[in-house]
Each structure stands twice: as C-alpha cells, then as structure tokens.
Amino acid sequence: MSDEIEEFIKNTLKIDETSNYRFRKIYGMTFVFEEIFLEINEKISSAEIKPVGIIFEENGEYLFSPLDEVDDIEPIIKEYVKNYFK
C-alpha cells in the first residue's frame, strides 16, 4: 500500500531524482564526486555534491579507495572507464 502512495505522490508532484558521478584528476589521483539533484515540478529543489572516493594507479593496477561506505561501486567503475578509457 505504501508503494502505491509513494508512486502517486511522485507522479502528482512530478518528483525526479537524478544522480551522476564526476571525476577530478589532481596530482595523479582521481577524486570521485557524486552529484544528486532532486526536482519537484521540473524545478531543482535540492542539490548535493559529495566526495565518494579516490581512484589511483599502483603497480599498473587501478585501485578505488572509498571515503565512506559505498553501496555499489559498479556504476562508478563504468562511468570512469567510459570517460577515461575510450
């Protein structure tokens, strides 16, 4: 029942949440940031940019060091490979 109510509210208020990752390379390390935007009725209601981790190369391997607990690193890896290993 609560899922139906949540879906009704999202559709009525046109709530949309988008998330993507940005990368910034400094001193041989790549810092990973997550951007989260919440839009209500096609206007930005809130925005958040938070550091997620650091990607660096050591002994020919790329390593990811999270700054906090990360639920799923797969989207980060896919986005990084798409942007830096074309």
Side-chain angles (χ1 to χ4, degrees):
M1 183 73 165
S2 65
D3 291 337
E4 294 173 5
I5 295 171
E6 183 178 331
E7 191 66 31
F8 174 76
I9 291 172
K10 281 185 176 182
N11 290 335
T12 304
L13 295 177
K14 298 178 186 172
I15 297 174
D16 184 35
E17 183 176 87
T18 57
S19 173
N20 56 25
Y21 294 98
R22 298 284 181 188
F23 303 94
R24 177 79 177 180
K25 191 166 190 172
I26 302 172
Y27 300 113
M29 295 184 291
T30 303
F31 293 85
V32 183
F33 299 91
E34 182 179 19
E35 296 178 337
I36 302 170
F37 296 99
L38 180 66
E39 295 180 2
I40 299 176
N41 289 329
E42 299 176 0
K43 295 181 182 177
I44 295 178
S45 173
S46 69
E48 176 183 6
I49 300 173
K50 66 178 182 177
V52 177
I54 301 169
I55 298 173
F56 57 96
E57 183 179 3
E58 187 175 296
N59 298 328
E61 294 182 353
Y62 286 89
L63 305 171
F64 176 72
S65 177
L67 298 175
D68 200 4
E69 188 173 321
V70 178
D71 295 330
D72 187 15
I73 66 169
E74 203 168 308
I76 298 170
I77 294 168
K78 285 182 181 179
E79 191 71 25
Y80 184 75
V81 169
K82 184 174 87 174
N83 289 329
Y84 290 96
F85 297 103
K86 295 179 182 178

